[in-house]
Amino acid sequence: MNLLELSQNIRKIRIEQDMTVEQLAKNSGFSKGFISQVENFRLTPSLKALTRIADALGVSMSMLFAEDGDTASQYTFGNLSDGRELDRDNGEEHGIRYFSLAHRHIGRKMDPFVIEYTPASPREFKFHDTEEFFILLEGEIKYFLCDNDTHRVMRPNDTIYLKANVPHRVELAPGCSYAKGLLIYTDSALDID
């Protein structure tokens, strides 16, 4: 494999994971300029640098060298503790932390997240162009649908499946200071019967 193919594989994997150059730089400990130079085949990274880039992308070194852009794997093992924290929709401002669980799997059709809730100001209603499934693992929350009058108190093991574009928001139930859930978004183009 030549330097051009290697640099393009790194870029492709980064983009497939919805990761910016800045995020890859931060996760790998390199500067944004260094990552940009690697992706634009302006310099040849050392094996040590490639190891750090592969680790930051959450892939094996061999995936960086895959021929013909075949970086997708049939499976990816992981652990809840492997979740990569993402800054999403100003979540921390609203006491919400997102941890991506499948960030290592290239070409995925689902995006599972662990979400943690702590006391904060309620956020506005959100909706997504994808379907989603949620299960509460710990704590107690109020799950609002469409308006502030329609909600359900959810306890551990309660689930909800939402079609695309349903406005919703979550807040901690009275007396609860921490909750944790598992959220899975689907690819909107995915056909599920």
Side-chain angles (χ1 to χ4, degrees), residues 112-162:
F113 294 92
V114 166
I115 301 181
E116 296 180 338
Y117 303 94
T118 55
S121 61
R123 73 192 246 187
E124 66 281 357
F125 281 87
K126 297 283 185 183
F127 60 92
H128 316 284
D129 62 357
T130 64
E131 294 186 359
E132 60 186 86
F133 176 81
F134 177 82
I135 181 170
L136 188 64
L137 303 172
E138 297 177 34
E140 194 170 294
I141 61 172
K142 290 170 76 174
Y143 203 104
F144 292 84
L145 295 161
C146 302
D147 59 50
N148 286 317
D149 297 322
T150 308
H151 73 275
R152 177 174 180 169
V153 174
M154 294 181 73
R155 293 173 181 85
N157 300 320
D158 285 345
T159 67
I160 184 169
Y161 186 102
L162 290 175

Side-chain angles (χ1 to χ4, degrees), residues 1 7-8 16 25 27 36 39 44 56 76 92 100-101 107-108 120 124 127 139 146 158 162 170-171 174 176 178 180:
M1 168 172 284
S7 66
Q8 294 307 294
E16 286 176 341
N27 293 343
S36 181
E39 287 192 358
T44 304
T76 305
E92 285 209 24
S100 175
L101 298 176
R108 62 189 173 273
E124 66 281 357
F127 60 92
C146 302
D158 285 345
L162 290 175
V170 172
E171 64 182 55
C176 184
Y178 175 81
K180 181 177 178 178

Side-chain angles (χ1 to χ4, degrees), residues 15-174:
I15 290 170
E16 286 176 341
Q17 293 191 29
D18 293 326
M19 187 184 295
T20 65
V21 171
E22 187 173 331
Q23 288 170 320
L24 178 55
K26 179 181 175 188
N27 293 343
S28 64
F30 293 116
S31 70
K32 185 177 172 182
F34 178 84
I35 297 298
S36 181
Q37 288 180 327
V38 168
E39 287 192 358
N40 289 295
F41 52 95
R42 302 218 184 279
L43 63 82
T44 304
S46 67
L47 284 177
K48 186 175 179 181
L50 287 174
T51 300
R52 286 171 55 185
I53 290 170
D55 287 345
L57 289 168
V59 299
S60 67
M61 178 88 90
S62 64
M63 289 185 74
L64 299 182
F65 293 95
E67 296 291 334
D68 301 318
D70 183 25
T71 55
S73 174
Q74 294 296 316
Y75 56 88
T76 305
F77 286 106
N79 186 288
L80 286 178
S81 64
D82 295 337
R84 176 185 294 151
E85 187 166 8
L86 303 176
D87 182 21
R88 188 165 187 272
D89 297 331
N90 299 320
E92 285 209 24
E93 178 182 320
H94 302 288
I96 302 171
R97 295 175 67 197
Y98 294 87
F99 297 89
S100 175
L101 298 176
H103 59 91
R104 292 182 175 151
H105 194 83
I106 308 304
R108 62 189 173 273
K109 300 288 184 194
M110 297 182 293
D111 272 314
F113 294 92
V114 166
I115 301 181
E116 296 180 338
Y117 303 94
T118 55
S121 61
R123 73 192 246 187
E124 66 281 357
F125 281 87
K126 297 283 185 183
F127 60 92
H128 316 284
D129 62 357
T130 64
E131 294 186 359
E132 60 186 86
F133 176 81
F134 177 82
I135 181 170
L136 188 64
L137 303 172
E138 297 177 34
E140 194 170 294
I141 61 172
K142 290 170 76 174
Y143 203 104
F144 292 84
L145 295 161
C146 302
D147 59 50
N148 286 317
D149 297 322
T150 308
H151 73 275
R152 177 174 180 169
V153 174
M154 294 181 73
R155 293 173 181 85
N157 300 320
D158 285 345
T159 67
I160 184 169
Y161 186 102
L162 290 175
K163 290 288 194 178
N165 299 312
V166 175
H168 59 281
R169 70 179 185 83
V170 172
E171 64 182 55
L172 289 170

